[in-house]
Amino acid sequence: MPLGLRRKKNKSRESSNLVENEEVGGHTGGRSVKSTVNGAGLPPPPANLRPKLVFHTQLAHGSPTGRIEGFNNVKELYGKIAETFNLSQPEILFCTLNTHKIDMEKLLGGQIGLEDFIFAHIKAIKKEVEVFKSEDALGLTITDNGAGYAFIKRIKEGSVVDKVKVISVGDHIECINGKNIVGSRHFEVALMLKELPKDQKFTLKLVEPMKAFEMLEPRSKGAKEASDNKMGTGRGTLRLRSRGPATVEEVPTEFEERAVKKVDDLLETYMGIRDTELAATMVEVGRDKKNPDEFAMALDEALGDFAFPDEFVFDVWGAIGDAKQGHVLTFP
């Protein structure tokens, strides 16, 4: 069954969360996807029924340590962080787990290890850049923060954008040719960039994340893939969903990690985006399907906002199958 776009259905604690002088290993230097298996999308549960989990957080450029709890999705999490540090929520660009550095392999996505430390990266310098599109591909991989901001996750070495040295990994893309794209998803932004005419100039308005003093160094092209970049710390994870309640789950299995990595790579190849939560959703949808047609139907139902190419769907199906075959059972 070919996939396509479907019509959408109608549808003050200012500083009290700060922890003064606590040693917890932190740094102290100066449009929504119809998601997941939770098909109909449950309303957020009452606050008293949400998981009673407390996470530690800091601003990545340096701050006291804060405690946050009671959030159910990424937007609520950002709201809690903003509350704790007396910020407005739109000031937060993205969060990383267990590092204050702009490490794109440690981005906060749809899962947080129960012992993970959250670092919030906030807006700093705005810049406007003119780029000449000399090739069809710009060499950018786009992701988003789940709350309306798309930003650059990777820059391919030797690409068009790589030659524009003021563009860096972690930069939030605010405008393309004067059009404000705040609120657009990563796949929409990637498509806009892809459709820009070749051999013409275009402008980008970007916002850098604020950096601590020791982070002021030559720009990164994005972290290399690593097999040991695991977010969880052994006690399970809190899974955040764009619709429906957050749930505490076991740390992802070896099969799940392998399959999510393969699907995320395919998202970058076909669509120019990386999104581990989207990849995890696709793996979850496809793991018990018996054939590609059944998988395609389930995928269209769960993620109807995406117009996935048929070839991509078949490759994802194959990647999930390969990950299953590569899974080795171990016994105590």
Side-chain angles (χ1 to χ4, degrees):
M1 172 181 174
L3 297 178
L5 284 170
R6 294 202 175 187
R7 182 174 300 177
K8 296 181 181 177
K9 297 179 181 179
N10 292 330
K11 37 180 172 168
S12 101
R13 299 161 42 189
E14 291 187 345
S15 305
S16 60
N17 290 334
L18 294 181
V19 184
E20 296 297 338
N21 302 318
E22 181 171 355
E23 296 293 336
V24 289
H27 167 65
T28 56
R31 210 162 92 102
S32 148
V33 175
K34 286 182 186 175
S35 202
T36 67
V37 196
N38 194 3
L42 299 174
N48 62 329
L49 295 181
R50 299 183 188 183
K52 295 295 183 182
L53 302 172
V54 178
F55 293 87
H56 289 90
T57 183
Q58 286 180 2
L59 300 181
H61 63 280
S63 74
T65 298
R67 288 192 182 104
I68 56 172
E69 60 180 309
F71 54 88
N72 201 58
N73 53 49
V74 172
K75 288 184 178 180
E76 290 183 7
L77 182 149
Y78 284 11
K80 294 290 184 179
I81 295 174
E83 237 178 70
T84 299
F85 296 110
N86 297 319
L87 301 170
S88 64
Q89 185 172 328
E91 289 182 71
I92 301 173
L93 287 178
F94 56 84
C95 295
T96 50
L97 299 177
N98 305 317
T99 178
H100 66 284
K101 296 181 179 180
I102 302 172
D103 184 341
M104 294 293 104
E105 300 309 316
K106 298 293 182 70
L107 283 174
L108 184 151
Q111 295 193 9
I112 307 173
L114 299 186
E115 295 178 357
D116 281 344
F117 197 107
I118 302 170
F119 290 90
H121 299 253
I122 67 172
K123 291 181 178 180
I125 299 171
K126 290 192 175 188
K127 52 194 178 184
E128 185 168 335
V129 185
E130 187 175 76
V131 182
F132 181 75
K133 190 176 183 182
S134 58
E135 301 175 24
D136 289 325
L138 292 170
L140 286 178
T141 298
I142 307 299
T143 190
D144 65 39
N145 68 355
Y149 289 167
F151 56 93
I152 298 170
K153 184 167 186 179
R154 187 172 297 153
I155 299 173
K156 184 178 179 180
E157 189 170 359
S159 65
V160 172
V161 169
D162 189 33
K163 298 169 185 175
V164 185
K165 299 306 180 184
V166 295
I167 301 177
S168 300
V169 166
D171 284 355
H172 160 48
I173 304 175
E174 188 176 63
C175 295
I176 301 174
N177 281 338
K179 178 182 178 182
N180 190 305
I181 62 166
V182 173
S184 300
R185 289 302 312 271
H186 45 28
F187 66 95
E188 296 172 308
V189 176
L191 183 59
M192 292 177 204
L193 293 169
K194 182 179 180 181
E195 291 179 342
L196 290 170
K198 186 180 174 183
D199 296 326
Q200 291 188 26
K201 293 180 180 179
F202 66 94
T203 59
L204 295 174
K205 286 186 179 180
L206 307 169
V207 183
E208 286 187 6
M210 188 174 290
K211 299 177 179 69
F213 179 77
E214 69 271 22
M215 295 165 64
L216 299 176
E217 55 187 18
R219 68 133 181 219
S220 168
K221 294 180 175 61
K224 295 180 179 178
E225 295 293 337
S227 59
D228 59 350
N229 272 330
K230 297 181 181 179
M231 300 305 180
T233 55
R235 294 202 302 120
T237 63
L238 179 68
R239 182 161 182 183
L240 307 176
R241 303 178 187 273
S242 55
R243 299 182 67 185
T247 56
V248 177
E249 302 180 354
E250 295 296 322
V251 172
T253 64
E254 184 182 346
F255 153 70
E256 290 167 336
E257 288 185 341
R258 186 186 299 113
V260 168
K261 170 65 167 59
K262 286 176 176 286
V263 174
D264 202 24
D265 288 345
L266 287 170
L267 283 169
E268 182 170 26
T269 299
Y270 278 91
M271 303 179 68
I273 65 173
R274 292 195 77 90
D275 187 331
T276 54
E277 175 58 16
L278 176 59
T281 295
M282 298 178 81
V283 170
E284 194 170 354
V285 168
R287 65 187 305 160
D288 61 346
K289 301 302 179 288
K290 298 179 176 60
N291 55 63
D293 288 340
E294 187 179 335
F295 174 55
M297 292 174 67
L299 203 59
D300 197 23
E301 182 178 351
L303 296 168
D305 282 357
F306 290 86
F308 293 122
D310 288 345
E311 185 181 356
F312 169 76
V313 174
F314 281 108
D315 282 354
V316 170
W317 168 254
I320 295 172
D322 289 346
K324 285 181 182 178
Q325 292 175 9
H327 180 48
V328 179
L329 293 176
T330 57
F331 300 91

